[in-house]
Amino acid sequence: MTEPGKLQAELTDRRNPLEPERTVSVYADRIELSEAGRLVKRIPVEAAQSVRLTVEPAGSETQVVCRVRAASGEIAFGSRSAKGAGWTDNALAFQAALVAVHRVLEPRWGEVAFLEGQTLGFRLAMTAAGITVASGAAAFSGYMLVVRESALLGLIGLPFAVAGGYLAWLFRPGRPAPYDPAALVKRFGG
């Protein structure tokens, strides 16, 4: 273990184009989120409850996002950062911060939940949205085919029904997938 106040890694990130730029600092005893030099959130290492890795949209691309959660809230940072109207690659700084988070949490690996994938709430919302789209599109197609007797208009709804069904299937609720923090550190931390 390193000395408690020592900075392990730092990352400048903007979660989306509408938010201000923030800095995530990983110390040996805490993880901090600051904005324009002002502390926004602090999670002491002993208070961390979970680390979740997700894949999320970043403009036309995707990014990996790390979310460190404690009872007091969450600190999130990603592998891409919003810059103006676009996104820039932040992968090297993200990797360093990700490895640093796992290293400072090493004494508590047995107590902290290390998970990958979206939360159950997000999955339920996306599944409900997919079912709604699929049901609405199927009802529209059925109405057009049976009541209006228009095959052409009836076929218009079918791609939307398929897309909604795929969305519901893609985000179907399931058990959280745990991952091995030691393997992550070994793979990305050298």
Side-chain angles (χ1 to χ4, degrees):
M1 180 99 172
T2 58
E3 82 183 64
K6 188 170 183 199
L7 181 67
Q8 305 295 307
E10 197 164 69
L11 165 81
T12 302
D13 189 28
R14 178 177 277 152
R15 300 297 313 122
N16 69 59
L18 303 176
E19 287 186 3
E21 193 170 74
R22 294 182 169 179
T23 302
V24 175
S25 304
V26 181
Y27 295 90
D29 61 343
R30 66 193 184 279
I31 302 162
E32 293 182 343
L33 179 67
S34 58
E35 178 183 309
R38 181 183 58 83
L39 182 66
V40 175
K41 185 167 297 300
R42 174 181 288 148
I43 297 179
V45 167
E46 65 271 3
Q49 297 172 336
S50 69
V51 176
R52 183 180 293 272
L53 299 176
T54 59
V55 176
E56 298 180 7
S60 62
E61 305 280 329
T62 59
Q63 66 174 327
V64 177
V65 176
C66 177
R67 298 179 181 281
V68 180
R69 180 173 287 283
S72 62
E74 176 181 89
I75 294 177
F77 57 96
S79 62
R80 297 182 63 78
S81 184
K83 295 284 186 198
W87 292 78
T88 61
D89 188 5
N90 214 9
L92 292 177
F94 172 79
Q95 182 176 326
L98 181 65
V99 169
V101 164
H102 286 76
R103 282 189 173 145
V104 300
L105 290 173
E106 185 172 358
R108 300 194 58 238
W109 280 357
E111 304 165 37
V112 176
F114 293 93
L115 305 168
E116 56 186 348
Q118 299 293 347
T119 63
L120 179 60
F122 180 82
R123 286 177 166 276
L124 288 172
M126 294 304 287
T127 299
I131 290 171
T132 302
V133 169
S135 300
F140 173 80
S141 289
Y143 174 78
M144 287 298 163
L145 288 169
V146 175
V147 176
R148 304 282 286 203
E149 296 180 358
S150 173
L152 182 61
L153 289 177
L155 294 176
I156 289 175
L158 292 181
F160 295 100
V162 170
Y166 179 70
L167 181 68
W169 178 82
L170 187 65
F171 288 101
R172 67 195 178 280
R175 299 183 67 190
Y179 69 90
D180 181 10
L184 184 139
V185 169
K186 183 177 179 183
R187 179 173 179 194
F188 297 111

